[in-house]
Amino acid sequence: MAKLTVVPTPVGNLEDMTFRAIRVLKEADLILAEDTRTTGILLKHFEIQNRMQSHHKFNEHKTVEQVAARIKAGENIALVSDAGTPAISDPGFMLVRECVRQGVEVECLPALVASGLPNEKFCFEGFLPQKKGRQTRLKELSTEYRTIIFYESPFRLVKTLTQLAEFFGNDRPVSVSREISKIHEETVRGTLEEVIAHFTVNEPKGEIVIVLAGLKDKKDKETGTEV
């Protein structure tokens, strides 16, 4: 049965590509790419010569019905973004939603997210609101018991960490990773107070992921145990 396959691609080092992802891309009838030039470099590296088509935030709302119809007609289509997993702060959500609406099978290849904090339960927040609703959202998250994942700009990192300390407490454990899988990859772990001190002295650069521990004394709703 034809399907849409969501394929995570390396953030930096091409060796992070999985054998399964390479096979899926080689077998696809069509590869939807956020930027065909960027994906073209990846495909050339792995000697994949399949046809590509642009699929990005500026055109996806116009093409999702057509793409879903092509899959229903028998084409296997793979979706990739420039790096990471499509639909997570990248184009793809609209297409997946339309495929689900039309009863088209959607498969997402596994993508491993490593952190030094509990990750059996987590919530992904992406970028916090810049202005309106930011403090309200932080207040709401201050009682979240799951590990929380944020994206942030290096220019706003210290400010955001300082705000997290105000709402979550200086002693809340946190992990800040930058430039994942790239040459200058770095992960700094500690309390919010310690990590703020580090990046106040050492100017952050690159793509930033913040992984914040959940509230320790919040009890798991399913088991009744502390997490």
Side-chain angles (χ1 to χ4, degrees):
M1 182 178 178
K3 60 188 173 184
L4 170 71
T5 306
V6 180
V7 183
T9 56
V11 174
N13 194 326
L14 294 182
E15 292 181 2
D16 290 340
M17 192 73 168
T18 66
F19 290 118
R20 185 181 177 192
I22 294 170
R23 176 184 59 77
V24 168
L25 293 178
K26 285 185 175 181
E27 294 176 352
D29 296 305
L30 175 68
I31 298 171
L32 300 179
E34 182 179 7
D35 187 325
T36 55
R37 294 166 299 181
T38 300
T39 300
I41 295 172
L42 177 75
L43 300 187
K44 182 178 180 181
H45 181 81
F46 292 106
E47 300 180 346
I48 301 171
Q49 300 178 353
N50 294 28
R51 186 161 54 94
M52 282 192 293
Q53 177 179 308
S54 293
H55 183 86
H56 45 71
K57 64 181 181 180
F58 301 109
N59 71 359
E60 63 175 339
H61 63 286
K62 299 178 182 178
T63 60
V64 292
E65 290 187 14
Q66 179 187 18
V67 173
R70 290 175 65 170
I71 299 171
K72 290 186 75 171
E75 291 188 51
N76 280 300
I77 295 181
L79 172 67
V80 300
S81 55
D82 288 351
T85 303
I88 301 181
S89 289
D90 274 330
F93 164 70
M94 290 184 181
L95 177 57
V96 172
R97 180 178 63 183
E98 181 62 23
C99 285
V100 171
R101 190 186 74 81
Q102 292 198 30
V104 172
E105 182 181 354
V106 178
E107 180 180 19
C108 183
L109 303 193
L112 178 64
V113 178
S115 80
L117 297 171
N119 59 8
E120 65 275 5
K121 290 187 178 181
F122 65 90
C123 62
F124 175 75
E125 282 295 312
F127 289 96
L128 284 165
Q130 287 303 303
K131 295 180 180 179
K132 186 178 180 180
R134 186 179 180 91
Q135 292 196 356
T136 299
R137 187 59 186 148
L138 285 171
K139 185 177 180 180
E140 292 171 347
L141 290 172
S142 65
T143 57
E144 174 60 65
Y145 68 95
R146 296 169 294 179
T147 298
I148 310 169
I149 301 171
F150 303 94
Y151 284 166
E152 191 50 278
S153 158
F155 310 106
R156 295 190 299 264
L157 177 61
V158 173
K159 178 181 178 181
T160 295
L161 291 174
T162 301
Q163 289 181 318
L164 292 177
E166 292 172 4
F167 284 87
F168 295 80
N170 283 325
D171 61 347
R172 182 71 66 94
V174 66
S175 169
V176 174
S177 298
R178 66 179 193 87
E179 296 291 86
I180 295 174
S181 85
K182 298 182 181 179
I183 296 174
H184 301 293
E185 178 178 355
E186 177 188 34
T187 296
V188 178
R189 299 179 180 88
T191 63
L192 278 167
E193 184 176 26
E194 293 168 341
V195 176
I196 290 169
H198 172 85
F199 285 111
T200 299
V201 176
N202 302 278
E203 181 182 358
K205 296 180 180 180
E207 298 169 325
I208 305 289
V209 179
I210 302 171
V211 183
L212 185 70
L215 188 63
K216 275 190 175 181
D217 61 356
K218 186 74 175 180
K219 291 192 175 182
D220 185 287
K221 294 179 181 179
E222 296 176 1
T223 65
T225 58
E226 292 186 354
V227 294

